[in-house]
Amino acid sequence: MSRTLFDKIWDAHVVRSVEGLDVVYIDRHLIHEVTSPQAFDELAARNLPLFRPSQILATADHNVPTLHQDQPIREPLSRLQVEKLTENCEKYGIELYGLGHQRQGIVHVIGPELGLTQPGLTMVCGDSHTSTHGAFGAVAFGIGTSQVAQVMASQCLLLSRPKRMRISVEGELRPGVTAKDLILYVIAQLGTGGATGHFVEYAGSAVRSLSMEGRMTVCNMSIEMGARGGLIAPDATTFAYVEGRPFAPKGEAWHDAVAYWQTLYSDDDATFETEYTYQAADITPMITYGTNPGMGIPLTGHVPSEVPASEAESFDKSLKYMGFERGESLLGKQIDYVFIGSCTNSRIEDLRAVAAYVQGKQKANHVEAIIVPGSKQVEHQAIAEGIDKIFAAAGFELREPGCSACLAMNEDKIPAGAYCVATSNRNFEGRQGPGSRTLLASPLVAAITAVQGRIVDITQYLN
Amino acid sequence: MEKFQTLHTTGRPLPLENIDTDQIIPARFLKATTREGFGENLFCDWRYNADGSPKPGFVLNDSRYRGSILVAGKNFGCGSSREHAAWALYDAGFRAVISSYFADIFRGNALNTGLLPLQVSDEVLARLLAAIEADPQLELVVDLPSQTLAVPAWSETFSFAIDGYKKECLINGYDDIDFLVNQKSAIEAFEKQRAWTW
């Protein structure tokens, strides 16, 4: 029977089915300091052992400072939470790449770079951006803390099978248009709840031609249109990225693995409940103007002037928060901060793209520009390639790895009223700090904005 | 988890769409390592001024509304997977949220917390929001065993969908851990028969 890529992987992980629900086996469980403490407490309260500690990997990312990581965390509650993670990992025998470890970083950056993320796996984490790992052809999705405890106790979850959606983007992306623009464009078409209840497969020649970093950016933002997760069929690009990484299969096992991975694609006549096709040529550099990721427009476009009556109250509240008007262009708007980082865009390719543009240039005087690498490895690689010096000369501050100003739970925050062009994934009210105003964009758009100090049509400024 | 059978209460209206979990409980409050106490920061940035004083006009600060059902615009709970959002609503006294659409992860988290996500049509939601704003004492009766929401003032009853297993869990106060741990032998057998060599 013809099956989708998603169904092939899901079916291979069903332990048994009960009353329309599947007991789904989870291969890899990633944990971090914020959504795990209550799950560990749950196990302790029920006197349950941790079922498969070797299938869990922990890191500290959300709550960590991005300066002076060699020193104790100053904020007491953040420190306590990170210490709690260390205690729990020691108690239960879980591998922890904590603060100061050479493999520490944002959970969705280190999984792939260590080769833990592989095609055909099921992966979960108490974080909605777990969909990132779908870039490798894995079924990966975010879960709540009760489910974190369930996986700790049983290595399984009780789930209903989501619907399938395929989003194809065909053709070649234009100059200056990146994976980030592609996914912001798709989310703007579907809206912030447009894929709820679905698992999305991204397909088409424009998606196939993306690097692994680009594919991760696309899959990362699946949740921003409500999708349970997103994935891309593995191919030669995937295998080349995984090969040789610390946790990748080696020797004979590598060949067996690749042979299996090559069977992971949607059959020609597989059925998707919902399908959309877009043309790459229609996509231009994007930016968001509102307070959810679906409120995106081309950089040269205008804020919508008309919305359905039922959405008007939310829409106008959003524009008021952002300080924008219906129908206006964002071109020329002055920007205060540029944040380059987060699980969406903090990989070496993102940093290289920024460096390639800012080399020999200076950020605008009034802009504060910070670059937060996704992991210790990305940081080291940037230094090895001399990118750190390019950033320093251009006035961009390169920090140490963490989630940073994406979510304002650590020390990195954007002040109330300030405008920040960010490469992260959410522009919700207060996401980067109470009153902060976030405009989501690609690393290239962020870099050019930092140099120009205002929103411009970047196609006029490409190197 | 506490048992959920019926709910006889009034609603508190929040007629905004796409309410994300960063609004329900901002990330800066996620530093706690226990489940309790999130209620005081529920909707913090909509509810309080920077100096901590309540913002007049926000529904949680409006003494006319005291019920344990939040009635909110569509696509409620989008964004982050933080279960803390469901805990905060529960801790603040809510036992159900009515909306015309819930984000997937929030729906699951709510069910695991004992908070009922009750989905109605866009039309019923619009009627409810208008009616509650006109009469904050409008009585709402949720009956989980029969999967109904009754509005006695209208002499109308609406049925709602819920997964059969999750319904039993809510009614009995069970959660998935009990069930999954009991599957241990099937899970171990599954692990043994897998073809993985890497």
Side-chain angles (χ1 to χ4, degrees):
Chain A
M1 201 182 82
S2 299
R3 289 186 299 168
T4 67
L5 165 62
F6 170 81
D7 288 295
K8 287 180 181 178
I9 301 171
W10 183 278
D11 290 346
H13 289 84
V14 175
V15 173
R16 57 177 295 215
S17 301
V18 198
E19 292 183 44
L21 295 172
D22 293 333
V23 177
V24 177
Y25 190 81
I26 303 301
D27 295 309
R28 303 259 197 279
H29 186 191
L30 306 171
I31 63 170
H32 61 83
E33 74 278 18
V34 180
T35 55
S36 67
Q38 294 88 350
F40 282 114
D41 286 351
E42 192 80 42
L43 284 195
R46 293 163 185 253
N47 205 18
L48 287 169
L50 205 154
F51 187 59
R52 293 288 181 255
S54 66
Q55 286 168 244
I56 306 182
L57 179 74
T59 192
D61 56 4
H62 284 63
N63 232 330
V64 304
T66 57
L67 289 170
H68 312 302
Q69 289 187 346
D70 54 332
Q71 295 169 20
I73 299 175
R74 284 182 301 189
E75 213 280 311
L77 287 175
S78 298
R79 189 171 65 237
L80 180 73
Q81 207 174 46
V82 172
E83 285 171 357
K84 192 97 186 157
L85 179 70
T86 308
E87 273 170 36
N88 279 321
C89 288
E90 282 171 4
K91 177 178 168 187
Y92 288 99
I94 295 169
E95 184 90 55
L96 167 67
Y97 297 150
L99 212 51
H101 195 286
Q102 292 312 299
R103 288 178 170 177
Q104 178 267 340
I106 303 175
V107 65
H108 309 311
V109 175
I110 68 170
E113 78 183 4
L114 293 171
L116 269 170
T117 305
Q118 296 168 17
L121 298 181
T122 48
M123 299 180 68
V124 295
C125 175
D127 188 285
S128 61
H129 293 111
T130 308
S131 56
T132 311
H133 307 268
F136 292 78
V139 167
F141 51 93
I143 57 177
T145 295
S146 292
Q147 292 175 307
V148 171
Q150 291 159 23
V151 179
M152 285 176 171
S154 70
Q155 207 57 36
C156 287
L157 287 169
L158 189 60
L159 301 168
S160 60
R161 188 183 298 243
K163 291 185 260 188
R164 305 77 162 170
M165 178 183 289
R166 180 160 58 190
I167 297 174
S168 302
V169 185
E170 302 290 354
E172 203 175 321
L173 293 172
R174 295 161 175 264
V177 177
T178 66
K180 184 63 165 287
D181 303 297
L182 185 157
I183 191 63
L184 284 174
Y185 175 86
V186 169
I187 300 167
Q189 305 298 312
L190 266 65
T192 190
T196 301
H198 291 78
F199 216 97
V200 176
E201 179 176 345
Y202 300 96
S205 54
V207 171
R208 300 238 69 82
S209 64
L210 293 174
S211 66
M212 286 315 296
E213 285 87 349
R215 294 179 190 187
M216 284 187 255
T217 299
V218 169
C219 289
N220 172 274
M221 292 193 74
S222 303
I223 182 70
E224 310 311 338
M225 49 189 175
R228 206 63 191 84
L231 81 176
I232 295 170
D235 59 11
T237 305
T238 321
F239 309 148
Y241 182 99
V242 175
E243 188 170 17
R245 292 186 184 265
F247 290 94
K250 306 277 187 308
E252 191 63 29
W254 170 256
H255 295 290
D256 291 347
V258 172
Y260 171 58
W261 296 346
Q262 284 170 334
T263 68
L264 298 175
Y265 53 83
S266 288
D267 297 326
D268 283 344
D269 44 0
T271 308
F272 293 83
E273 278 89 345
T274 318
E275 284 221 56
Y276 296 99
T277 300
Y278 301 106
Q279 299 305 318
D282 293 340
I283 306 174
T284 57
M286 297 286 292
I287 195 155
T288 63
Y289 61 88
T291 56
N292 74 54
M295 301 173 86
I297 49 173
L299 268 175
T300 54
H302 293 81
V303 174
S305 20
E306 302 294 328
V307 291
S310 66
E311 296 168 19
E313 185 174 352
S314 303
F315 184 78
D316 289 330
K317 180 176 188 293
S318 177
L319 290 190
K320 187 177 172 209
Y321 181 86
M322 292 300 293
F324 296 147
E325 305 281 338
R326 285 187 183 213
E328 77 170 329
S329 160
L330 300 189
L331 292 177
K333 297 274 184 197
Q334 188 166 305
I335 292 301
D336 308 299
Y337 288 80
V338 166
F339 167 61
I340 295 165
S342 89
C343 56
T344 313
N345 283 119
S346 63
R347 297 177 181 84
I348 191 67
E349 184 182 274
D350 301 313
L351 271 56
R352 284 181 190 142
V354 173
Y357 179 78
V358 305
Q359 185 157 27
K361 299 186 179 72
Q362 271 293 317
K363 72 165 181 71
N365 277 332
H366 68 272
V367 172
E368 192 169 317
I370 68 166
I371 302 182
V372 184
S375 70
K376 260 329 209 198
Q377 291 202 38
V378 171
E379 181 190 349
H380 289 155
Q381 198 171 345
I383 292 167
E385 295 180 11
I387 290 176
D388 59 325
K389 295 190 177 61
I390 296 173
F391 292 150
F396 287 64
E397 187 184 3
L398 181 65
R399 297 284 187 91
E400 293 171 278
C403 297
S404 185
C406 173
L407 84 168
M409 81 173 293
N410 48 67
E411 293 174 353
D412 303 342
K413 293 182 174 69
I414 305 302
Y419 286 102
C420 178
V421 168
T423 67
S424 44
N425 40 57
R426 290 190 173 132
N427 50 355
F428 296 150
E429 281 186 34
R431 173 76 179 182
Q432 297 194 280
S436 62
R437 292 159 160 174
T438 304
L439 296 90
L440 301 174
S442 74
L444 182 61
V445 169
I448 295 175
T449 307
V451 169
Q452 299 302 324
R454 61 200 167 89
I455 295 172
V456 295
D457 173 8
I458 67 146
T459 59
Q460 307 299 311
Y461 294 85
L462 297 175
N463 281 348
Chain B
M1 196 166 77
E2 275 182 44
K3 295 178 181 180
F4 188 116
Q5 290 271 351
T6 56
L7 201 54
H8 203 122
T9 183
T10 55
R12 303 201 217 184
L14 192 48
L16 292 169
E17 298 188 345
N18 304 317
I19 294 174
D20 59 79
T21 54
D22 273 87
Q23 307 317 313
I24 301 172
I25 185 83
R28 62 186 186 278
F29 300 115
L30 306 188
K31 295 172 195 278
T33 54
T34 59
R35 283 174 179 249
E36 294 75 31
F38 291 100
E40 64 184 273
N41 293 312
L42 176 68
F43 293 115
C44 182
D45 294 339
W46 289 349
R47 186 172 167 192
Y48 305 112
N49 292 306
D51 64 4
S53 59
K55 285 185 181 176
F58 184 66
V59 63
L60 296 195
N61 299 326
D62 188 333
S63 59
R64 292 176 300 157
Y65 302 111
R66 283 286 166 260
S68 59
I69 299 180
L70 184 71
V71 185
K74 77 174 175 192
N75 197 27
F76 185 83
C78 60
S80 155
S81 63
R82 61 190 69 165
E83 193 164 315
H84 312 64
W87 301 341
L89 285 159
Y90 196 91
D91 195 51
F94 289 101
R95 292 296 174 268
V97 180
I98 295 176
S99 182
S100 59
Y101 207 67
F102 290 95
D104 289 331
I105 305 181
F106 176 82
R107 183 197 296 272
N109 286 340
L111 290 167
N112 284 332
T113 300
L115 176 75
L116 178 69
L118 196 161
Q119 189 166 326
V120 296
S121 67
D122 285 329
E123 186 223 332
V124 171
L125 179 66
R127 285 178 62 198
L128 280 171
L129 285 167
I132 294 167
E133 283 175 355
D135 174 15
Q137 300 308 315
L138 185 80
E139 199 182 356
L140 302 174
V141 183
V142 177
D143 185 83
L144 182 55
S146 68
Q147 297 179 220
T148 54
L149 164 69
V151 186
W154 302 350
S155 304
E156 280 187 86
T157 298
F158 308 95
S159 59
F160 61 88
I162 181 171
D163 175 86
Y165 167 82
K166 296 309 290 187
K167 174 178 159 181
E168 289 305 308
C169 283
L170 269 181
I171 288 173
N172 296 301
Y174 299 154
D175 57 37
D176 292 357
I177 288 199
D178 303 323
F179 176 84
L180 288 166
V181 169
N182 285 329
Q183 304 296 312
K184 195 175 164 202
S185 55
I187 295 167
E188 285 173 341
F190 174 86
E191 287 176 321
K192 286 199 184 73
Q193 59 81 36
R194 298 190 80 197
W196 302 100
T197 53
W198 55 92

